[in-house]
Amino acid sequence: MVREESYSVGREAIINALTHSEGRNIEVEIIYESREFRLRIRDDGRGIDPGTLEAGGRADHWGLQGMRERAHRIGGKLDLWSRPGSGTEVELSVPASTAYRTPRRKSTDSASRVSAAG
């Protein structure tokens, strides 16, 4: 689940940068640290209006709100930094205990099997 939600946050941030920033560069940084996983997307575009950031996004647009909800769903945190004319940076941080958890495998021992023959 962490992989899918992280991908969706990153995808939305990149699409927003391509669609709205009018910037020349977009950087994507993936950081695996012992304490957390971080995904950063930066652009050098026009930035986000401060009123839009304060409101949590634009009316009838789900991008910023959706990214926050996805981060929350996986126990992560979403930070946004932006100023008009200075670009935007989006960072998703997920604690290592959640981000690096290995999926549980289904047990195949005989005690967990159910017989259809009954």
Side-chain angles (χ1 to χ4, degrees), residues 1-3 97-109 112:
M1 182 174 192
V2 172
R3 177 180 21 188
S97 60
T98 302
Y100 307 139
R101 185 180 315 156
T102 55
R104 295 173 65 195
R105 293 184 177 211
K106 293 182 180 179
S107 176
T108 57
D109 66 336
S112 66

Side-chain angles (χ1 to χ4, degrees), residues 2 14 16 22-23 25 28-29 41 44 48 50 56 61 67-68 73 77 79-80 82 86 104 108-110:
V2 172
I14 291 169
N16 284 348
E22 299 177 5
N25 299 291
V28 176
E29 185 175 10
I41 295 88
D44 61 353
I48 300 173
H61 287 79
M67 288 192 289
R68 284 190 178 95
R73 193 175 301 143
K77 178 179 157 191
D79 289 309
L80 288 128
S82 187
S86 297
R104 295 173 65 195
T108 57
D109 66 336
S110 60

Side-chain angles (χ1 to χ4, degrees), residues 8-74:
S8 294
V9 168
R11 180 179 183 274
E12 182 67 27
I14 291 169
I15 288 171
N16 284 348
L18 289 169
T19 305
H20 303 294
S21 79
E22 299 177 5
R24 296 181 58 120
N25 299 291
I26 298 171
E27 296 176 26
V28 176
E29 185 175 10
I30 300 171
I31 304 154
Y32 295 93
E33 295 179 325
S34 61
R35 293 174 31 112
E36 67 184 357
F37 165 81
R38 285 186 291 156
L39 172 64
R40 273 193 208 136
I41 295 88
R42 290 184 206 104
D43 68 64
D44 61 353
R46 62 186 182 144
I48 300 173
D49 176 79
T52 301
L53 280 178
E54 284 181 29
R58 293 181 4 206
D60 298 327
H61 287 79
W62 302 104
L64 296 179
Q65 180 180 341
M67 288 192 289
R68 284 190 178 95
E69 288 174 5
R70 289 178 185 282
H72 179 74
R73 193 175 301 143
I74 57 175

